[in-house]
Amino acid sequence: MGIDFTEWFKSYLGGRQQVVVANETTSEPGIVSCGVPQGSILGPLLFLCYVNDMPISVKCKLLLYADDSALIVSGSDPRAIASLLSKELESCRQWLMDNKLSLHLGKTESILFGPKKKKNKVESFEVKCGNETIKHVKSVKYLGLQIDNDLSGKKYC
């Protein structure tokens, strides 16, 4: 990325500790070996630098905004879309694990966009990540905007 002053980053990110406080009891300090300080001004920028090469982990379109991401796969066959999306999601999850990050499958959703007539003929749309089936929804909230699967805007309005 063209940064040649890594000592400052080492100083900013290194030597951090954390404790857990529960029921007025404080744990012993533990060393923080990865991540950025939560709530810091530089945290979001450093996170974006950290995930900057995440798009190379997939062949489909990947939308990134802070810690929100969306995989976009297009096609005319819903089964082929679901299969490709499952493959791309697994590839993305592997990149995250390799980079000491995790994919929250409980928050992960799939949505199939298209005309109502065509979607009504789809018997199932099953996206998987490992052994987990991803929840299929008719509308999704992305960056604060509610988007429905026929792009009518009814959920938003």
Side-chain angles (χ1 to χ4, degrees):
M1 295 183 72
I3 298 171
D4 60 358
F5 51 95
T6 58
E7 289 305 314
W8 183 87
F9 284 104
K10 288 178 186 175
S11 169
Y12 179 70
L13 296 171
R16 293 181 297 126
Q17 296 182 338
Q18 69 181 20
V19 295
V20 176
V21 179
N23 297 329
E24 299 177 20
T25 302
T26 303
S27 70
E28 291 294 319
I31 303 273
V32 178
S33 61
C34 63
V36 295
Q38 292 260 324
S40 68
I41 291 171
L42 280 177
L45 178 62
L46 292 176
F47 180 78
L48 289 175
C49 292
Y50 190 69
V51 298
N52 188 51
D53 65 341
M54 188 175 170
I56 65 172
S57 71
V58 294
K59 293 179 180 140
C60 66
K61 186 164 186 77
L62 173 64
L63 305 178
L64 290 171
Y65 185 82
D67 64 346
D68 277 336
S69 56
L71 295 171
I72 309 292
V73 172
S74 61
S76 56
D77 177 10
R79 272 187 251 137
I81 293 171
S83 175
L84 182 55
L85 194 51
S86 297
K87 181 181 170 194
E88 295 294 299
L89 186 57
E90 185 57 43
S91 182
C92 187
R93 181 171 77 154
Q94 187 60 54
W95 184 92
L96 290 166
M97 288 189 310
D98 291 346
N99 287 278
K100 298 183 180 179
L101 297 170
S102 61
L103 175 63
H104 192 311
L105 290 175
K107 289 184 173 182
T108 304
E109 300 172 326
S110 70
I111 186 167
L112 181 63
F113 295 106
K116 282 184 184 179
K117 277 186 179 181
K118 199 163 186 181
K119 282 193 326 265
N120 288 341
K121 294 178 184 177
V122 177
E123 292 176 20
S124 74
F125 186 76
E126 191 173 90
V127 177
K128 292 185 153 271
C129 188
N131 295 327
E132 300 270 340
T133 300
I134 304 304
K135 181 180 176 186
H136 181 67
V137 296
K138 294 185 185 283
S139 74
V140 66
K141 190 172 186 177
Y142 185 66
L143 301 180
L145 181 65
Q146 198 71 34
I147 306 168
D148 46 18
N149 62 358
D150 58 1
L151 300 175
S152 68
K154 288 178 185 174
K155 291 279 186 184
Y156 179 70
C157 293

